[in-house]
Amino acid sequence: MAGSCEISSLFSNYISAMYQPEEVPPDPDVLTHLGDDDNLPLPLSNLHMPTETTGKPTWYGEMPHCWSKSQVLEWISYHVEKNKYDASAIDFSCCNMDGYTLCQYTRDQLGLIFGPLGDELYDRLHEITSVPDELAWIMSVLRNEEVSQESLLDSNPLDLGNSCSQEYLEEMKLANLFSQPDLGYFSGAMSPDSSGSVTGTMSQSPHSQDSGGSDLDLDPIDMKHCPFSDGDYKKDLKKRKRGRPRKASKENRDCLETKKSKHSPRGIHLWEFIRDILIHPEMNEGLLKWEDRREGIFKFLRSEAVAQLWGQKKKNSSMTYEKLSRAMRYYYKREILERVDGRRLVYKFGKNSSGWKEEEVQERS
DNA sequence: GTCTCGTTTCCTGTTT
DNA sequence: TAAACAGGAAACGAGA
């Protein structure tokens, strides 16, 4: 449990460091009458207050397992107020617990402590803690990389694989692949299910012309393990042909096969990935936002960051918003998405998409 | 082996 | 002028 706590903490810190959301959750109103209780470990007047710097409650964005006692109280206070619940019916001496303890309680136990509010608290708690696969995966990315919080905060916001980056950076330098300008930034994240196998590659700027100048479209990292890699990779910067370059021949691919699992399932579709981020706002700080939930209209707030996450998901560190958006545009034809004219970074779910409507989300949970 | 699907990559041109 | 959008073309890997 300590592990998951650390991960979720990492996640929230990572998100906080990475994004500065345009929107904040509704500020919990000031709770004026929670009743007097000498057993309270902290003055209630402070519990529900948003943090000074962010304007958000302190529990927001953190996994419940990691909440401190004060955050637990703050969260309970928030729901007391939200549900207009009579706080005098609550034995606040039982609230002196941290998030981990809170998460251990069953519905019945919460019902005993909080009465009718217990059900509500239980549901809300499990809403937060039931992390969808895709977001759990995002966390696992961080876990696999064993990213320190310090390095997260120090890192380039889009450098998702910073712990690996330095190592690979050194390797890349050795391979003389960084001697050319404009090769873009570096991202060496390990794939979540690679069991430590290296899939780190060099990211390229969206418009770099050298991303596929050769017919052998190999990852530089992988290339250095191949006997035919001589460091002259991308020497030839001649204008490339249209379309995606051919991948390596089978012979050359065998060289790469040691790096990648032979059978990786296709997994979820891009639009589902986007949808899942959207329908879990507690995990989506500043990536995407609903413009009109009823209509299914949403907007990319951090387009490149979403692209990076998608790239990580697909073990493709060179994913960019430009490429992601091309895939999004293919959905127009299939009516999974609809055009929203005149608005940048704005898309709308079409009639062939599903699972994003509030009713559907509620049904699934 | 072939085909389809869902992308991915790159490109040129247009719009904001 | 840059960023985003649009869509053609070609390629890829996975699965049927």
Side-chain angles (χ1 to χ4, degrees):
Chain A
M1 184 57 83
S4 66
C5 186
E6 186 185 335
I7 293 157
S8 49
S9 173
L10 276 175
F11 181 81
S12 52
N13 279 318
Y14 164 69
I15 289 292
S16 300
M18 192 168 171
Y19 309 112
Q20 289 155 6
E22 287 179 5
E23 294 182 308
V24 295
D27 286 353
D29 294 323
V30 174
L31 201 61
T32 53
H33 45 70
L34 268 177
D36 297 318
D37 194 311
D38 292 335
N39 293 325
L40 284 176
L42 289 168
L44 274 171
S45 56
N46 294 329
L47 297 179
H48 49 276
M49 293 299 290
T51 54
E52 279 178 26
T53 50
T54 64
K56 292 185 276 184
T58 61
W59 49 264
Y60 182 83
E62 282 193 41
M63 291 299 284
H65 313 79
C66 302
W67 289 346
S68 64
K69 289 178 179 180
S70 62
Q71 284 174 311
V72 169
L73 270 168
E74 186 182 339
W75 178 76
I76 292 167
S77 303
Y78 169 67
H79 285 287
V80 166
E81 174 67 12
K82 187 181 159 196
N83 293 280
K84 306 284 182 233
Y85 188 73
D86 178 13
S88 64
I90 298 174
D91 178 4
F92 274 92
S93 63
C94 298
C95 300
N96 186 15
M97 66 178 103
D98 57 18
Y100 178 78
T101 309
L102 176 69
C103 291
Q104 308 305 307
Y105 281 119
T106 64
R107 182 185 290 274
D108 290 344
Q109 287 171 321
L110 285 178
L112 281 174
I113 300 170
F114 300 103
L117 186 64
D119 272 350
E120 166 75 8
L121 292 180
Y122 183 87
D123 289 340
R124 296 291 81 78
L125 190 63
H126 285 80
E127 227 170 55
I128 303 171
T129 54
S130 59
V131 180
D133 288 350
E134 299 316 312
L135 291 163
W137 164 80
I138 291 169
M139 291 179 177
S140 77
V141 170
L142 299 175
R143 175 176 49 207
N144 282 355
E145 291 170 17
E146 293 176 358
V147 183
S148 73
Q149 295 192 40
E150 290 78 9
S151 63
L152 279 170
L153 292 169
D154 291 344
S155 67
N156 177 329
L158 290 181
D159 185 0
L160 298 174
N162 55 70
S163 71
C164 302
S165 299
Q166 286 305 314
E167 186 184 335
Y168 296 137
L169 186 61
E170 290 308 312
E171 291 185 24
M172 293 297 287
K173 282 176 182 167
L174 286 172
N176 199 26
L177 292 170
F178 259 70
S179 55
Q180 299 174 50
D182 303 327
L183 277 181
Y185 57 88
F186 187 82
S187 172
M190 282 157 55
S191 58
D193 50 358
S194 59
S195 306
S197 70
V198 178
T199 58
T201 57
M202 183 169 56
S203 295
Q204 291 137 350
S205 63
H207 300 284
S208 61
Q209 292 288 320
D210 53 359
S211 58
S214 159
D215 272 354
L216 297 177
D217 188 24
L218 298 174
D219 289 343
I221 291 292
D222 290 334
M223 273 196 66
K224 73 185 177 56
H225 297 293
C226 299
F228 54 81
S229 168
D230 60 5
D232 287 333
Y233 178 67
K234 295 176 179 178
K235 225 181 202 172
D236 180 10
L237 294 179
K238 278 183 246 167
K239 198 168 186 176
R240 52 172 299 112
K241 284 190 292 184
R242 279 179 79 102
R244 186 176 176 163
R246 284 179 186 277
K247 283 250 172 137
S249 64
K250 185 180 183 311
E251 184 184 28
N252 298 335
R253 268 204 306 272
D254 287 345
C255 174
L256 303 177
E257 219 107 66
T258 57
K259 299 286 168 191
K260 293 177 179 176
S261 63
K262 283 194 171 176
H263 296 289
S264 58
R266 182 170 282 174
I268 67 158
H269 298 153
L270 172 59
W271 71 269
E272 293 171 315
F273 178 78
I274 298 296
R275 177 201 64 193
D276 287 349
I277 293 176
L278 275 163
I279 65 178
H280 291 279
E282 72 275 11
M283 293 300 195
N284 167 26
E285 270 196 76
L287 290 174
L288 297 149
K289 74 167 183 181
W290 288 109
E291 291 268 290
D292 187 334
R293 177 70 192 266
R294 279 175 163 273
E295 294 293 315
I297 299 171
F298 60 93
K299 182 178 185 180
F300 281 81
L301 297 177
R302 304 277 170 172
S303 53
E304 284 299 334
V306 175
Q308 289 281 317
L309 282 175
W310 175 241
Q312 294 259 306
K313 175 77 185 161
K314 300 295 286 284
K315 300 172 194 169
N316 174 2
S317 58
S318 64
M319 178 52 62
T320 63
Y321 176 71
E322 191 184 18
K323 294 171 189 171
L324 182 149
S325 65
R326 181 69 191 98
M328 297 283 278
R329 290 195 294 275
Y330 271 121
Y331 288 140
Y332 293 149
K333 239 179 192 174
R334 295 160 57 199
E335 297 185 288
I336 290 169
L337 292 177
E338 290 176 24
R339 280 194 184 78
V340 178
D341 290 328
R343 302 212 50 205
R344 290 184 165 209
L345 302 170
V346 176
Y347 297 83
K348 179 183 180 184
F349 284 117
K351 64 182 181 188
N352 289 336
S353 62
S354 62
W356 55 269
K357 295 187 181 101
E358 278 174 306
E359 311 89 76
E360 292 174 303
V361 173
Q362 277 163 12
E363 273 172 31
R364 291 203 304 178
S365 62

